[in-house]
Amino acid sequence: MPFFVPSAQSQEHAESIYQAIAGNVDAPVGDERIETLTWEHEGQQVVAKVGDKLPLCFGAEDEVILAIFDCGDVYKVCTPNRGAVCFDPVVASRTYVSSVDFF
C-alpha cells in the first residue's frame, strides 16, 4: 500500500500533514514511513495501523491513527487528539515492540 495520511487530498498534502505532525511531536522524519506497529501494552498485544482506530485500551474509541514515528527508544502513535493537534501521542517503548511494517 502506498504511503497516505487519512483525509489528505493528495500525496503532497499527505506529506505536508506528516511533516507538521512530526514537528508537533518532535519526531525525526526519515525516508521510511511506518504503516503498522505491534507491541505489548499492560500485558496485552496491541496493533496500531495508520487509517485504523486507536486501540480501545488507550481510551479513545473514535481516534483515527494519522501517523506513527520511530523516535529511537520509543515510537509515537499520533491521532488528531493524541499528538497531531493537542495532547501527547501514544508512546510505545522499543523494548515492547514485536513488529513494524512500512508502507
Side-chain angles (χ1 to χ4, degrees):
M1 172 178 277
F3 168 71
F4 76 100
V5 173
S7 75
Q9 298 170 0
S10 67
Q11 278 300 125
E12 294 78 23
H13 190 217
E15 188 62 33
S16 175
I17 293 169
Y18 185 84
Q19 296 279 340
I21 296 170
N24 198 44
V25 298
D26 195 29
V29 176
D31 292 333
E32 294 186 308
R33 303 288 188 259
I34 298 171
E35 179 183 22
T36 307
L37 183 70
T38 305
W39 76 101
E40 184 180 319
H41 175 74
E42 296 182 352
Q44 69 180 39
Q45 183 175 341
V46 293
V47 178
K49 183 175 181 178
V50 172
D52 287 356
K53 292 181 181 178
L54 190 65
L56 287 176
C57 62
F58 297 106
E61 65 184 63
D62 288 330
E63 287 287 311
V64 174
I65 299 166
L66 302 177
I68 303 170
F69 298 96
D70 182 347
C71 297
D73 292 340
V74 298
Y75 290 87
K76 295 180 180 179
V77 179
C78 300
T79 70
N81 289 310
R82 297 290 305 259
V85 178
C86 53
F87 306 114
D88 292 326
V90 170
V91 176
S93 171
R94 182 174 294 279
T95 305
Y96 296 101
V97 172
S98 57
S99 71
V100 180
D101 297 318
F102 299 92
F103 283 100

